[in-house]
């Protein structure tokens, strides 16, 4: 019934970075236009935390300057020497040691809920089973989702290790619950009682059916020995999957060749990579992507391309191990394959055969367009080489696509200014305007508290409705730094969900009996993270982290500019984020991106059952 925190991570294969290395800078005219609002800039320097009722025009201007400020310029200070208020404002996470306390507190609450569900006997008790199981799921996923993000994205290894420990502790407990026959039996009993189901809302009925299906996928009906093996396999798959994601690397980590073979490489980049008469280029990252777009020598592009796509022995080993474990898990649960198991609850894609049918139909539909574009690239290669017959190779694609784009840019009035219009701040400003027009929500910059963010580059935005209501918190970690994952990703660190009255009573008791670290029961009920209150209902706000790897411009005069592909990446990831922001429900099992999906949900880790 609880799904693992892998639901929160979206690594989009379509969005894996294809970076255009910035070549020439913007013209002085564009610079003047971008920086002419000096008064607004001065106002930002001394601004207090954003007022949600301030005009959208003011928010719009501050937003652009927040992301476009050069080094030492406009920015909300994220780090200070003041006492940490906790990562994401989670009051337990003021230090790495807090992860253990955070996990323990949630496991204690979860254990009490388990006992309450198991002891349900009256009609009233059974009417509350879905709410109890949903809260049980939320308690565990609070730790799993937070820990999954921190262990993958936090730059401090102490936080990474503490988060990994908390994740393992809670994940093991979750898998044990998933195979607990008593919980499954009690849910089945509740579903069988008309006097219970008639009192449930449509949302409760949906959640109940989802949880019942998830129990089935966790082999809850198998003998105890098989259930124990299921838990063991799930834990091993989780560990191997995590190691695969964090440790995947190419066999060859850098390509070093004579510098003359890199003719065409952007001059500024070539100068930074040159070592005597050689150029050394990392196999992964923006430098190699830039080389594939700009280097004229086909053999050099081929060498880089193949090095990028030849995985290390350890990476292949982990992948093969994970696939074998997944196959055994699926067979144990009574499924033909892991694909059949993963697609069981998809409304459209009921089986791997259905997915393949869809993909083949999509390929056939797109084939004429693809062939036309390939012919265009082949013709471009024929023209450049002055040869009547040429074969287009995989490592030619980016190079000749860039040639086509260059011609497109040359036909407009300002020859090379396409990228110059796409500063990070301008794109974020445009997204805010777009969401304002489409959905009536906008981004409002908010100064982070000490310890709230994991790096000074991270910017906090509140998502606010047109009537000033705060709907979500969005943390944007958009720029490259060493050791940071190059994969763009969307994380839902915490789902939206209604906080019930008995949870506030429990929080009040906890505040009395323990050293107070919270200001109010409302704050304690959500670990100090953001809540909202409307129509007498208290809700935990969705908290989202958006992580990208855009090149950072350290110029004292200009912001960072995005390539066309990077703009696409940001729009795509923000699409996942807006789904989490707007799809608010009373139950976390169906909130945001946890709703029923079909082909687009893929994850490296296995799904457990108590949904996260």
């Amino acid at each position: 019934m609880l799904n693992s925190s892998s639901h929160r991570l979206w690594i989009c294969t379509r969005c894996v970075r294809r970076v255009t290395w910035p070549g020439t800078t913007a013209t002085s005219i564009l610079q003047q236009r971008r920086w002419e609002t000096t008064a607004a800039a001065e106002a930002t320097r001394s601004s207090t935390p954003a007022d949600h009722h301030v005009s959208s025009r003011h928010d719009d201007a501050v937003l652009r300057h927040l992301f476009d400020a050069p080094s030492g310029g406009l920015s909300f200070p994220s780090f200070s020497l003041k006492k940490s208020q906790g990562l994401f404002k989670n009051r337990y996470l003021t230090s790495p040691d807090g992860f253990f306390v955070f996990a323990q507190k949630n496991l204690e609450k979860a254990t009490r809920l388990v006992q309450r569900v198991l002891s349900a006997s009256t009609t009233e008790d059974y009417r509350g089973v879905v709410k109890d199981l949903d809260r049980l799921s939320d308690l565990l996923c609070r730790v799993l989702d937070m820990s999954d993000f921190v262990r993958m994205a936090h730059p401090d290894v102490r936080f990474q290790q503490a988060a990994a420990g908390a994740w393992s502790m809670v994940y093991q407990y979750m898998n044990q619950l998933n195979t607990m026959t008593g919980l499954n039996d009690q849910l089945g009993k509740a579903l069988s009682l008309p006097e219970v189901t008639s009192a449930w809302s449509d949302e409760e009925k949906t959640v109940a059916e989802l949880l019942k299906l998830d129990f089935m996928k966790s082999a809850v009906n198998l003998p105890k020995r098989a259930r124990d093996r299921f838990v063991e396999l799930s834990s091993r798959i989780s560990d191997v999957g995590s190691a695969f994601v964090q440790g995947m690397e190419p066999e060859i980590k850098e390509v070093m060749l004579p510098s003359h073979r890199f003719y065409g490489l952007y001059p500024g980049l070539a100068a930074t990579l040159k070592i005597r008469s050689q150029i050394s280029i990392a196999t992964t990252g923006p430098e190699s992507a830039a080389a594939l777009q700009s280097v004229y020598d086909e053999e050099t592009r081929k060498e880089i391309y193949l090095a990028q796509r030849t995985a290390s022995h350890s990476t292949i080993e982990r992948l093969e191990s994970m696939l074998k474990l997944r196959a055994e898990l699926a067979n144990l649960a009574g499924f033909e394959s892991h694909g059949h198991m993963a697609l069981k609850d998809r409304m459209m894609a009921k089986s791997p055969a259905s997915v393949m049918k869809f993909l083949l139909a999509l390929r056939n539909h797109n084939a004429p367009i693809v062939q036309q574009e390939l012919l265009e690239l082949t013709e471009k290669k024929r023209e450049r080489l002055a040869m009547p017959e040429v074969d287009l190779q995989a490592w030619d694609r980016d190079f000749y696509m860039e040639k086509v784009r260059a011609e497109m840019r040359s036909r407009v009035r300002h020859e090379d200014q396409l990228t110059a219009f796409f500063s990070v701040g301008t794109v974020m400003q445009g997204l805010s305007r777009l969401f304002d027009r489409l959905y009536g929500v906008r981004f409002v910059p908010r100064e982070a508290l000490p310890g709230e963010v994991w790096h000074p580059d991270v910017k906090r935005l509140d998502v606010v409705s047109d009537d000033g209501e705060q709907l979500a918190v969005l943390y944007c970690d958009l720029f490259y730094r060493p050791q940071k994952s190059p994969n763009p990703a969307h994380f839902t660190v915490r789902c939206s969900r209604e906080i019930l009255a008995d949870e506030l009573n429990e929080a009040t008791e906890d505040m009395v009996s323990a050293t107070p670290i919270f200001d109010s029961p409302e704050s304690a009920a959500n670990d100090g993270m953001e809540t909202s209150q409307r129509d007498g209902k208290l809700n935990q706000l969705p908290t989202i982290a958006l992580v990208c790897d855009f090149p950072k411009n350290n110029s004292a005069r200009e912001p960072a500019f995005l390539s066309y592909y990077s703009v696409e990446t940001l729009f795509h990831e923000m699409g996942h984020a807006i789904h989490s922001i707007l799809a608010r429900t009373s139950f976390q099992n169906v909130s945001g991106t946890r709703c029923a999906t079909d082909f687009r949900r893929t994850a490296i880790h296995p799904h457990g059952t108590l949904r996260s």
Side-chain angles (χ1 to χ4, degrees):
M1 41 176 294
L2 290 172
N3 273 346
S4 79
S5 57
S6 60
H7 273 183
R8 302 280 58 81
L9 169 61
W10 298 82
I11 297 181
C12 310
T13 54
R14 178 180 181 274
C15 288
V16 171
R17 292 180 67 252
R18 292 167 289 173
V19 180
T20 302
W21 195 271
T24 57
T25 61
T27 62
S28 57
I29 295 176
L30 287 174
Q31 291 172 355
Q32 180 180 349
R33 287 173 57 192
R34 190 168 284 111
W35 300 107
E36 64 188 358
T37 52
T38 310
E42 291 299 327
T44 307
R45 287 193 180 95
S46 58
S47 66
T48 56
D51 182 347
H52 294 161
H53 292 277
V54 172
S55 72
S56 59
R57 182 173 298 179
H58 173 273
D59 296 335
D60 191 86
V62 174
L63 180 66
R64 179 161 60 92
H65 284 289
L66 178 66
F67 286 95
D68 277 353
S71 301
L74 306 176
S75 180
F76 287 154
S78 300
F79 280 23
S80 76
L81 297 177
K82 295 180 180 178
K83 182 179 178 181
S84 171
Q85 299 302 301
L87 194 61
F88 292 101
K89 290 185 66 177
N90 187 311
R91 295 291 292 139
Y92 293 109
L93 305 183
T94 57
S95 70
D97 294 339
F99 271 95
F100 179 78
V101 178
F102 180 43
Q104 281 293 110
K105 289 284 187 183
N106 280 270
L107 288 177
E108 290 169 7
K109 294 175 184 177
T111 301
R112 292 198 294 267
L113 270 177
V114 168
Q115 294 304 317
R116 187 157 82 184
V117 173
L118 292 176
S119 62
S121 59
T122 67
T123 299
E124 192 62 31
D125 290 340
Y126 281 113
R127 284 175 178 170
V129 161
V130 173
K131 289 180 179 178
D132 286 341
L133 290 179
D134 184 77
R135 190 194 171 202
L136 176 60
S137 173
D138 183 64
L139 285 170
L140 302 185
C141 294
R142 286 183 179 193
V143 181
L144 291 171
D145 293 343
M146 176 74 74
S147 300
D148 193 43
F149 171 76
V150 171
R151 68 179 181 169
M152 295 182 68
H154 202 289
D156 189 332
V157 68
R158 297 172 303 160
F159 272 91
Q160 293 173 15
Q161 292 171 348
W167 194 92
S168 296
M169 184 192 315
V170 174
Y171 190 77
Q172 180 72 17
Y173 180 84
M174 184 185 76
N175 278 324
Q176 292 168 358
L177 292 184
N178 289 333
T179 57
M180 186 177 287
T181 56
L183 292 178
N184 179 58
D185 292 344
Q186 289 291 73
L187 177 60
K189 176 73 171 177
L191 282 164
S192 71
L193 298 173
E195 61 270 30
V196 171
T197 56
S198 63
W200 286 348
S201 66
D202 289 341
E203 196 174 333
E204 280 176 286
K205 294 174 184 176
T206 299
V207 171
E209 293 295 339
L210 284 172
L211 296 177
K212 188 67 177 176
L213 176 61
D214 283 337
F215 270 124
M216 184 272 289
K217 289 171 66 176
S218 292
V220 73
N221 295 320
L222 294 179
K224 185 178 186 306
R225 183 175 178 181
R227 295 200 307 273
D228 291 343
R229 177 61 176 163
F230 189 95
V231 172
E232 180 190 351
L233 285 170
S234 296
S235 295
R236 287 180 61 191
I237 292 170
S238 171
D239 292 339
V240 174
S242 178
F244 173 73
V245 171
Q246 295 180 327
M248 57 183 174
E249 60 184 6
E251 186 68 30
I252 301 172
K253 296 181 177 60
E254 65 176 8
V255 173
M256 180 175 282
L257 297 168
S259 57
H260 69 83
R261 291 187 55 179
F262 285 88
Y263 174 74
L265 186 63
Y266 305 114
L269 177 58
T272 64
L273 300 175
K274 191 170 183 180
I275 303 173
R276 297 185 179 88
S277 62
Q278 306 256 346
I279 282 182
S280 176
I281 195 163
T283 309
T284 58
E287 295 87 357
S288 58
L292 288 175
Q293 289 178 339
S294 61
V295 171
Y296 279 72
D297 183 64
E298 185 174 332
E299 286 301 313
T300 300
R301 296 199 307 273
K302 177 181 178 180
E303 194 162 336
I304 295 171
Y305 182 91
L306 294 178
Q308 282 183 332
R309 288 157 177 80
T310 304
S312 66
H313 179 70
S314 60
T315 299
I316 295 172
E317 245 184 7
R318 292 188 189 107
L319 178 59
E320 290 178 341
S321 175
M322 184 172 63
L323 292 175
K324 290 176 182 176
L325 292 168
R326 279 181 165 187
E328 184 181 349
L329 185 79
N331 290 334
L332 186 64
F335 291 92
E336 184 179 338
S337 69
H338 183 268
H340 288 84
M341 181 177 177
L343 295 170
K344 176 68 177 177
D345 58 349
R346 301 297 182 259
M347 291 186 297
M348 292 169 56
K350 291 292 186 183
S351 68
S354 298
V355 175
M356 182 57 67
K357 183 178 179 181
F358 168 78
L359 293 175
L360 290 174
L362 188 64
R363 184 190 68 177
N364 293 336
H365 179 270
N366 290 338
I369 301 172
V370 172
Q371 289 301 322
Q372 182 58 43
E373 292 183 351
L374 290 175
L375 285 174
E376 186 177 351
L377 296 180
T378 303
E379 180 61 29
K380 190 62 61 181
K381 182 175 183 178
R382 186 182 296 118
E383 289 176 5
R384 195 184 78 79
L385 298 180
M387 295 172 59
E389 296 294 331
V390 294
D391 292 324
L392 189 71
Q393 303 294 340
W395 44 87
D396 291 331
R397 188 198 63 176
D398 289 353
F399 179 76
Y400 289 104
M401 282 181 65
E402 183 61 22
K403 297 300 179 189
V404 171
R405 283 194 295 268
E407 287 187 3
M408 292 172 61
R409 289 195 294 268
S410 69
R411 289 195 290 268
V412 300
R413 183 176 180 182
H414 302 292
E415 293 188 357
D416 57 356
Q417 300 309 317
L418 182 61
T419 297
F421 283 104
F422 293 142
S423 72
V424 176
T426 300
V427 176
M428 292 297 294
Q429 183 185 55
L431 282 164
S432 183
R433 291 177 178 178
L434 179 65
F435 292 148
D436 192 12
R437 291 193 178 191
L438 290 176
Y439 308 116
V441 303
R442 68 184 192 277
F443 298 149
V444 179
R446 176 80 174 269
E447 183 175 353
L449 297 175
E452 184 178 349
V453 297
W454 53 99
H455 190 273
D457 282 347
V458 180
K459 310 300 182 187
R460 171 179 167 166
L461 304 177
D462 285 355
V463 185
V464 177
S465 68
D466 48 15
D467 62 359
E469 181 189 2
Q470 185 180 359
L471 304 178
V473 184
L474 177 63
Y475 294 90
C476 298
D477 186 1
L478 302 183
F479 295 108
Y480 164 83
R481 59 179 175 268
Q483 285 78 54
K484 181 182 176 183
S485 170
N487 293 319
H490 152 270
F491 297 80
T492 300
V493 178
R494 182 154 296 185
C495 283
S496 65
R497 175 184 162 274
E498 183 183 347
I499 297 174
L500 303 175
D502 59 349
E503 297 173 52
L504 291 175
N505 295 334
E506 179 186 272
T508 302
E509 293 173 5
D510 288 345
M511 289 178 67
V512 172
S513 62
T515 304
I517 59 173
F518 301 105
D519 300 326
S520 66
E522 290 77 10
S523 175
N526 200 33
D527 304 321
M529 297 173 68
E530 300 289 1
T531 59
S532 69
Q533 194 150 12
R534 187 171 188 175
D535 299 329
K537 294 182 178 180
L538 182 69
N539 290 278
Q540 57 193 46
L541 291 182
T543 301
I544 298 140
L546 204 62
V547 180
C548 294
D549 193 39
F550 301 141
K552 192 175 183 180
N553 193 344
N554 293 319
S555 166
R557 294 180 58 83
E558 293 184 354
F561 297 105
L562 299 180
S563 69
Y564 176 77
Y565 287 120
S566 294
V567 175
E568 280 190 322
T569 293
L570 188 51
F571 266 72
H572 182 99
E573 296 302 335
M574 195 64 80
H576 294 312
I578 204 68
H579 191 173
S580 296
I581 290 164
L582 297 180
R584 295 187 298 167
T585 60
S586 297
F587 294 84
Q588 70 95 31
N589 269 280
V590 288
S591 66
T593 52
R594 296 173 196 265
C595 66
T597 57
D598 290 296
F599 305 115
R600 74 188 179 92
R601 173 172 289 173
T602 57
I604 292 298
H605 302 304
H607 301 327
T609 44
L610 275 173
R611 291 180 170 245
S612 80

